[in-house]
Amino acid sequence: MLLGCIADDFTGATDLANNLVRAGMRTVQTIGVPDASLSIDADAVVVALKSRTIEPADAVAQSLAALAWLREAGCRQFYFKYCSTFDSTDRGNIGPVADALMDALGTDFTIACPAFPAAGRTIFRGHLFVGDLLLSDSGMRDHPLTPMTDANLVRVLQRQSAKKVGLLRYDTLATGVDATRAAIDALRADGVGIAIVDATSDADLMTMGEAFADLPLVTAGSGVAIGLPQNFRRAGLLPAVPVAPELPRVPGPALVLSGSCSQATLAQVSDWSATRPAYRVDPMRVARGEAVAAEAAAFARDAQARGETALVYASASPDEVRAVQQQLGRDEAGAMIERTLAEVARAMRESGTRRFVVAGGETSGAVVQALDVRALRIGPQIDPGVPWTETVENEPVALTLKSGNFGALDFFGKALALLDA
């Protein structure tokens, strides 16, 4: 095993694994820290945690447990993966986890770079852009759990980290690998422990990959991962020609589940609902104890009997989310939706559904836990950052775990069509 990765949510883990596979690394994604009974033959392992929005101390403990397993497996470099929109609060969890991993590895320096230009996430002079908008002007400002109202990542991370946070600028990267390494040495000499790194193109990510080859720990979104496999290939540890991932061959009916409230997913839900069956989960009915999950599963089974695929969703506008949170509480409202969609997934799997498209990080985490998934093989990409995956169980299930912000307008239909092609 060459690269050991720790992801703070399940869709982010799949996003990272997708980029590693596309760059030629045989990659397995585990759900939680693996136990001794799970046999893994891979160049890279991504340990998917559900730690993005839990208490910082719990996130640190889970991340350190994952690191211990990856070190025992013999990994040569480690990667802490978070969202390309740097989802966090002033309490964490990016800063506390990065600090703890650095201390455990005995390193005094790492980088932080959520950039993923192919998905419209770029960093310029330390400021994160979502498309043409500053992060603070994007839909992330209304995120129900981690509203992002500051686009200056140096400032955001410094509020979370005990390390000194600095900046590695775009104009340094533009001059090449040697200049980038020299800048790292200068930052270290100045006492910087974590440097935000600018990136506006895939060329920047490739420069980073080579420049960061000797860092014990890299912290980033999934984008930086495209530049790391080249280091192992140059060392003769990977095949010269990457092997294309295989498409999961899983027959049977399908289901689309969505709990994300991002603008991208709301548009995808609307596009699907205009012409295909869709069931909206009403959180207030759930709170009253009504059998919403059973009703949603029955709706989906009826659609399957007609030869159609249904969408079951709890996605809602920012105003609708705020209204529900005011009545039920932020944490309880989110947990209740996750439990409901997980119940639907479990019921549908028991009735024969073998293919699931899931939108939203928290929702994806709840679904894979409900389905008792231990590990995933990574298949081909549907849209940037989102592949099909296949469980390693004897009766495999095909899963797409989509970050809320990712995917084209017709993503749900495109994902299902790829399996049917």
Side-chain angles (χ1 to χ4, degrees), residues 9 64 81 97 136 190 221 258 327 361 364 372 393:
D9 84 336
L64 289 176
K81 196 276 176 191
V97 170
S136 50
D190 193 37
S258 176
Q327 296 184 66
S364 293
D372 197 26
E393 284 77 13

Side-chain angles (χ1 to χ4, degrees), residues 208-232:
M208 286 185 212
E210 187 173 353
F212 303 156
D214 296 328
L215 292 183
L217 173 69
V218 172
T219 89
S222 66
V224 174
I226 73 171
L228 294 178
Q230 62 182 332
N231 301 320
F232 300 117

Side-chain angles (χ1 to χ4, degrees), residues 29 36 55 78 90 100 111 151 170 180 190 251 285 288 305 310 347 377 412 415:
Q29 175 180 332
E55 285 299 309
F78 302 91
D90 287 349
I111 61 96
Y170 70 97
T180 301
D190 193 37
R285 289 186 60 207
R288 291 194 295 269
R377 299 185 186 93
F412 298 149

Side-chain angles (χ1 to χ4, degrees), residues 193-219:
I194 307 177
I196 299 294
V197 186
D198 283 348
T200 60
S201 68
D202 282 358
D204 290 336
L205 300 179
M206 298 304 288
T207 298
M208 286 185 212
E210 187 173 353
F212 303 156
D214 296 328
L215 292 183
L217 173 69
V218 172
T219 89

Side-chain angles (χ1 to χ4, degrees), residues 95-138:
V97 170
D99 289 356
L101 295 175
M102 290 176 68
D103 292 344
L105 290 168
T107 183
D108 66 344
F109 182 84
T110 190
I111 61 96
C113 181
F116 190 3
R121 312 295 188 266
T122 55
I123 304 172
F124 180 72
R125 293 184 181 269
H127 289 73
L128 179 57
F129 286 79
V130 177
D132 294 329
L133 299 175
L134 282 167
L135 175 66
S136 50
D137 294 331
S138 74

Side-chain angles (χ1 to χ4, degrees), residues 325-348:
Q325 289 179 338
Q326 287 172 359
Q327 296 184 66
L328 303 178
R330 189 192 74 171
D331 293 341
E332 176 54 28
M336 186 178 63
I337 291 301
E338 289 175 35
R339 288 194 299 269
T340 301
L341 293 177
E343 288 177 29
V344 175
R346 188 184 298 110
M348 295 303 294

